[in-house]
Amino acid sequence: MILRFAISSDLHYGQSEKTHELHEAFFISLSKEKIDVLFLAGDLIASKQKSLDQFFTLLRTHLPKIKVLVVEGNHDRWNNDIYLSSKHYTESVPMYSPHEVYKNRKNIDKRKPMTWGEMNEYHKSLYKKYDLIHLNGSAHDLSNDIVAIGFDGWSTNIQSMGTNDYLFLPETIESAPAMIYLRNKAEKDLEKILELNTEGKTVIGMTHFPPFSKECPPIENFHVEESWGANPRFLNFLTEKCDILLVGHNHHPMDIVYNNCRILNSGAPWDSSKRSYIPQYKIFEIKNE
């Protein structure tokens, strides 16, 4: 028996007014692929929490019965509708300067943002409502012979991320500096999945942040921004544990074998005319004994 899977990431639903029609076409196309399991490797939305329920509604409208496994990306965790709005993207608050952002907290919207705990509970409620599986430093058996493991991950570069998260991250989470907390949580979640007993099974691993550097793995003409990736030390751990590793975040399509592990990224190109990333998917199959 052959099981058929799809991987997608960086869909950024809600990026613009065009995203609903783009994602509807995407899910209609995916529904014709007759897949058994869909893996979503993070950044499902564009940092607008109101979009998450809408995204899952659209997903289940077109894929009502298939199993869906999720890890969260950086844009799934924060709400720029509540925290900082686009009017604060000014020269006085540079996009990639966390220190300037924190110094200019007077620009923050006065409405109370979701706390880390509130957002956790909100996301859990949506996963239950739409029958989705969040791989949060955990495993899920897909058959007697195939297991999925995963964790959300976070960037390795805690000083100057190459993304705009600092514009709407809180300064602290559970009394720790936010980026340090998230990095440490990612490392603990990685340890959890590495300790799982998966002997004799085909292992599919998933995380949002790709653990690559410019040298590891050596991919010709492959664009890597180290500040956008997880710790490159993770790569050998993950590829030794997994038969297939699914990643996202850098929007670059990828299908290579490294350390006997197949690494896949669906990619998500930017379309300037639509002011949106265009959702993509990759299909892969595994023989189920």
Side-chain angles (χ1 to χ4, degrees), residues 3 23 33 42 62 111 157 159 179 190 210-211 260-261 278 283:
L3 290 181
H23 286 78
E33 294 283 358
H62 298 287
R111 289 171 293 176
N157 191 325
Q159 296 301 322
M179 294 301 293
L190 173 61
N260 295 316
C261 175
I278 307 303
I283 302 293

Side-chain angles (χ1 to χ4, degrees), residues 133-253:
I133 299 157
H134 180 200
L135 294 175
N136 187 20
S138 56
H140 182 81
D141 287 322
L142 299 173
S143 72
N144 290 333
D145 306 303
I146 304 171
V147 62
I149 62 175
F151 67 112
D152 298 334
W154 203 259
S155 172
T156 185
N157 191 325
I158 63 174
Q159 296 301 322
S160 56
M161 280 189 70
T163 68
N164 60 1
D165 295 286
Y166 270 114
L167 288 173
F168 33 85
L169 271 169
E171 287 187 74
T172 61
I173 299 173
E174 297 183 6
S175 301
M179 294 301 293
I180 292 176
Y181 176 91
L182 292 165
R183 182 197 63 181
N184 291 345
K185 180 182 184 301
E187 292 183 354
K188 290 176 183 177
D189 288 343
L190 173 61
E191 288 177 5
K192 288 179 186 177
I193 63 172
L194 292 177
E195 290 171 357
L196 294 170
N197 182 6
T198 57
E199 186 175 355
K201 295 188 176 184
T202 298
V203 181
I204 304 172
M206 181 166 63
T207 188
H208 179 62
F209 289 84
F212 310 146
S213 71
K214 292 178 180 177
E215 294 78 30
C216 185
I219 308 167
E220 188 175 356
N221 299 322
F222 185 71
H223 175 76
V224 176
E225 290 285 349
E226 290 194 52
S227 62
W228 285 24
N231 193 324
R233 293 188 301 109
F234 293 177
L235 183 63
N236 285 336
F237 293 126
L238 284 166
T239 53
E240 287 172 7
K241 183 73 172 179
C242 302
D243 298 286
I244 297 173
L245 177 62
L246 311 176
V247 298
H249 190 59
N250 60 20
H251 294 239
H252 289 272

Side-chain angles (χ1 to χ4, degrees), residues 80-97:
N80 65 6
D81 276 351
I82 292 177
Y83 227 64
L84 289 176
S85 68
S86 58
K87 67 184 177 182
H88 299 131
Y89 285 51
T90 66
E91 291 183 4
S92 62
V93 187
M95 184 176 290
Y96 304 135
S97 173

Side-chain angles (χ1 to χ4, degrees), residues 37-155:
V37 181
L38 172 61
F39 289 89
L40 295 174
D43 278 5
L44 312 182
I45 58 173
S47 300
K48 298 182 177 77
Q49 289 301 312
K50 67 184 181 184
S51 300
L52 198 55
D53 201 339
Q54 298 166 359
F55 175 82
F56 290 148
T57 297
L58 186 60
L59 185 160
R60 281 307 186 196
T61 297
H62 298 287
L63 299 167
K65 295 181 180 179
I66 69 164
K67 185 166 288 189
V68 180
L69 288 83
V70 178
V71 295
E72 295 185 352
N74 48 307
H75 289 289
D76 299 320
R77 270 292 173 183
W78 314 115
N79 195 356
N80 65 6
D81 276 351
I82 292 177
Y83 227 64
L84 289 176
S85 68
S86 58
K87 67 184 177 182
H88 299 131
Y89 285 51
T90 66
E91 291 183 4
S92 62
V93 187
M95 184 176 290
Y96 304 135
S97 173
H99 303 297
E100 287 300 312
V101 170
Y102 291 152
K103 275 173 27 180
N104 284 272
R105 283 290 168 173
K106 63 185 180 182
N107 289 331
I108 293 177
D109 193 311
K110 299 303 181 184
R111 289 171 293 176
K112 183 181 178 182
M114 282 184 178
T115 65
W116 174 262
E118 288 169 342
M119 196 165 287
N120 277 337
E121 291 306 311
Y122 174 59
H123 287 197
K124 284 179 184 177
S125 71
L126 291 181
Y127 295 141
K128 182 177 181 180
K129 176 180 178 181
Y130 293 100
D131 191 22
L132 310 171
I133 299 157
H134 180 200
L135 294 175
N136 187 20
S138 56
H140 182 81
D141 287 322
L142 299 173
S143 72
N144 290 333
D145 306 303
I146 304 171
V147 62
I149 62 175
F151 67 112
D152 298 334
W154 203 259
S155 172

